Amino acid sequence: MTDTVKGKLRLGARILRVGGVEKVFMQLFSVTDGEKLLKASQCYLSTTSGPIAGLLFISTHKVAFCSEKSIKIASPKGEFIRVHYKVCIPHEKIERVNQSQNVKKPSEKYIEIVTMDGFDFWFMDFFNYRKALRYLQWAISQSQREKL
């Protein structure tokens, strides 16, 4: 079996063990009162080390990503430890969401999230790109309306 299939099976087993995607989200990220998970999508996050497979969580308050597999990093003491690669972006820190596609392969679609402080996060290879983009745009627009 390929690493991708193994990762998907591990993720599915974890979701079942914990009791659903919403419970996985609540375990991985701080959830505030009234916050609801709207959508979870399997995808890849583009990094300088290459794409990382995981789940993109879209909630009423944030956009978050957690890798399927843990990665090895050096601790402050110099020891290597394994951690999940996580990203958490509160809606109020998102400047814009861009959709994009590969010019040579239009079927390859991307979502770019640009933060107020100039960071950009690229997500790709969605199981259902249009649905993930629609939920993301809706969540951001709702959040912006609440600020007004």
Side-chain angles (χ1 to χ4, degrees):
M1 284 197 301
T2 67
D3 284 341
T4 302
V5 173
K6 287 179 188 176
K8 303 280 185 232
L9 290 173
R10 268 194 304 276
L11 179 63
R14 181 180 186 182
I15 291 168
L16 287 172
R17 190 172 54 253
V18 171
V21 176
E22 190 157 359
K23 288 189 179 172
V24 170
F25 172 66
M26 292 171 76
Q27 274 188 352
L28 293 170
F29 301 98
S30 299
V31 177
T32 59
D33 286 340
E35 182 174 5
K36 296 202 179 345
L37 178 63
L38 301 172
K39 180 78 178 138
S41 297
Q42 288 184 324
C43 67
Y44 287 81
L45 170 65
S46 178
T47 71
T48 54
S49 305
I52 296 176
L55 271 179
L56 179 69
F57 297 96
I58 303 166
S59 83
T60 53
H61 292 69
K62 67 174 82 63
V63 176
F65 175 87
C66 184
S67 63
E68 288 177 2
K69 297 184 342 185
S70 56
I71 58 171
K72 214 186 269 190
I73 62 165
S75 73
K77 295 180 183 176
E79 303 161 342
F80 282 98
I81 57 173
R82 296 194 75 80
V83 296
H84 284 277
Y85 193 98
K86 293 189 338 185
V87 173
C88 185
I89 313 165
H91 289 179
E92 63 268 12
K93 300 283 184 190
I94 295 175
E95 184 177 309
R96 67 183 182 279
V97 174
N98 299 320
Q99 51 183 321
S100 183
Q101 67 185 28
N102 185 327
V103 177
K104 294 180 182 174
K105 286 187 182 175
S107 62
E108 289 182 14
K109 298 185 183 308
Y110 312 101
I111 295 175
E112 177 192 24
I113 297 176
V114 180
T115 62
M116 297 290 189
D117 51 1
F119 288 95
D120 59 336
F121 299 90
W122 287 87
F123 300 94
M124 63 190 110
D125 263 354
F126 286 87
F127 180 72
N128 190 329
Y129 172 83
R130 275 182 275 173
K131 196 178 239 183
L133 181 63
R134 190 171 61 239
Y135 272 94
L136 182 58
Q137 289 172 329
W138 184 84
I140 303 299
S141 70
Q142 291 300 316
S143 182
Q144 290 172 341
R145 276 191 206 134
E146 289 173 9
K147 282 194 294 189
L148 299 175

